[in-house]
Amino acid sequence: MHSGHVLVAPDKFKGSLGAVEVAARVAAGLRAARPEVPVVTMPVADGGDGTVEAAVACGFQRAEAVVGGPTGEPVTAAYGLRDGVAIVELAEASGLHRLPRGRLAPLTAGSRGTGELIAAALRHGVRRLVLGLGGSACTDGGAGMARALGVRLLDARGEELPPGGGALTRLHALDLSGFTRPEGVEFVVAGDVDNPLLGPEGAAAVYGPQKGAGPAEVAHLEEGLTRWADVVERELGVRVRDDPGAGAAGGVGFAAMAFLGAETRPGIGLLLDLLGFEERLSGARLVVTGEGSLDEQTLRGKAPAGVAAAAARAGVPVVAVCGRRALTDGRLRAAGIRAAYALTDIEPDTRRCMTEAGPLLERLAAALAAGQLPGPAATAPAEHHPA
């Protein structure tokens, strides 16, 4: 790895640019301003949408499968493979962006495609499967995922339930004759959500409204998830409904724990390990991380906070780029980020910050270089906190 290089390791700017393009734009701006300083890019993700893209950029092989989208229509979804490890991203198959014409379907959207994607990855003989949870369109407790892996959901008459969380209120029993937990495979859930499955902090109450559920629908989904948990835990002899992360991705975390024995790990830490962050960090003089909005959520285990923590252990300073910034200098420094550069610093029109994020990022990176990468005549990096 280059000695004295700058490591550019941002997450996506949601709704604007993917992590790969953010990294490329920042690198271009830095190279234009300081052509003598080596720049290494490493797009990162925390398990949500963009995780497979970041993995492929870091050397994973991209594979694809045609699976069912959240409301059943076929979608082509990608996953990553390397050295016996598969990275499967729920959003690729069952994400909000996969809903036809963006129409929310809070009661009927399901996670079956995620299970089909897992099955496709398992056919490669992997020993470890990392399931990134985030951006889901469904609140079905992972019932669809379980179906794709051979579980049948039956009502009191022995007939199969239709897909979606809304139907779970009629669940009576499971037929597990077609399901076998894959042997010799370690399942890990990568997520930044520690919600339980049920209750006021659970999947339906907290995330249902984001997926289009009104108060009555949230109550109906809660009832269905409670029934699902009762039946699954009775038939499998486990109790995981209260485990942190069981409520992730509309309860897919619950099903991953119950049916696959998955353990949950903070997404960004796990992904940095898998993508080889430490190796790329070695010898770096500065790390540039970032995401669309630097705010309170950032501090709760999002990518920039994880990057900053990992860099701090190696004693490498960290600065961030973002679309907008809602954290004070003091809050940023406490998280290990010594300065933040926002697109809104150089372009007050937030709409232009979204639509012209790429060129603006290159300009922002030049300002960052001026403040953080002094030329040969200077002796110490200047502290710079744009107002």
Side-chain angles (χ1 to χ4, degrees), residues 47 70 88-91 93-95 109-118 129-147 149 164-165 168 187-191 193 195-198 202-204 207 211 225 228 232 240-241 243-264:
V88 173
E89 176 190 321
L90 170 137
S94 313
S111 57
R112 186 179 188 110
T114 297
E116 292 170 339
L117 208 51
I118 289 170
L129 189 143
V130 176
L131 177 60
L133 298 185
S136 80
C138 55
T139 309
D140 74 342
M145 181 186 83
R147 286 178 200 260
L149 298 174
L168 293 175
F187 291 91
V188 186
V189 167
V193 162
N195 303 68
L197 179 65
L198 304 170
Y207 301 107
K211 301 165 191 182
L225 290 176
W228 170 238
V232 168
V240 295
R241 68 178 73 186
D243 288 10
V252 171
F254 168 82
M257 295 172 189
F259 290 96
L260 301 174
E263 64 159 322
T264 302

Side-chain angles (χ1 to χ4, degrees), residues 120-336:
L122 290 174
R123 287 195 281 274
H124 293 272
V126 298
R127 300 181 302 281
R128 189 176 199 218
L129 189 143
V130 176
L131 177 60
L133 298 185
S136 80
C138 55
T139 309
D140 74 342
M145 181 186 83
R147 286 178 200 260
L149 298 174
V151 179
R152 295 175 71 225
L153 280 63
L154 308 175
D155 64 16
R157 295 180 300 180
E159 295 180 4
E160 282 213 51
L161 293 181
L168 293 175
T169 54
R170 307 203 307 275
L171 180 64
H172 180 72
L174 302 180
D175 175 0
L176 298 170
S177 59
F179 170 74
T180 307
R181 182 182 292 179
E183 285 185 24
V185 182
E186 175 196 7
F187 291 91
V188 186
V189 167
D192 59 0
V193 162
D194 57 8
N195 303 68
L197 179 65
L198 304 170
E201 297 299 314
V206 176
Y207 301 107
Q210 298 173 11
K211 301 165 191 182
E217 290 166 315
V218 167
H220 186 78
L221 289 167
E222 179 76 8
E223 183 189 345
L225 290 176
T226 303
R227 183 78 190 136
W228 170 238
D230 289 344
V231 173
V232 168
E233 292 178 344
R234 180 187 76 213
E235 302 217 9
L236 294 182
V238 298
R239 185 177 172 91
V240 295
R241 68 178 73 186
D242 301 320
D243 288 10
V252 171
F254 168 82
M257 295 172 189
F259 290 96
L260 301 174
E263 64 159 322
T264 302
R265 285 188 50 193
I268 184 59
L270 177 62
L271 268 299
L272 289 179
D273 285 350
L274 280 174
L275 302 182
F277 181 75
E278 228 172 78
E279 175 196 341
R280 289 173 172 84
L281 183 64
S282 176
R285 63 192 282 184
L286 181 71
V287 174
V288 181
T289 188
E291 64 178 345
S293 179
L294 279 183
D295 52 31
E296 287 297 323
Q297 286 288 96
T298 303
L299 306 180
R300 296 199 190 112
K302 291 284 189 183
V307 168
R313 289 192 289 273
V316 181
V318 178
V319 297
V321 292
C322 58
R324 58 178 285 276
R325 166 188 165 175
L327 294 172
T328 63
D329 287 353
R331 298 282 281 152
L332 287 168
R333 278 196 292 267

Side-chain angles (χ1 to χ4, degrees), residues 13 291-294 321-327 340-354 356-357 360-361 363-364 386-387:
F13 278 29
E291 64 178 345
S293 179
L294 279 183
V321 292
C322 58
R324 58 178 285 276
R325 166 188 165 175
L327 294 172
Y341 297 77
L343 295 184
T344 51
D345 295 336
I346 59 172
E347 175 49 72
D349 182 342
T350 52
R351 190 183 52 80
R352 286 189 66 189
C353 285
M354 294 286 284
E356 300 172 32
L360 287 170
L361 258 178
R363 278 177 52 198
L364 197 65

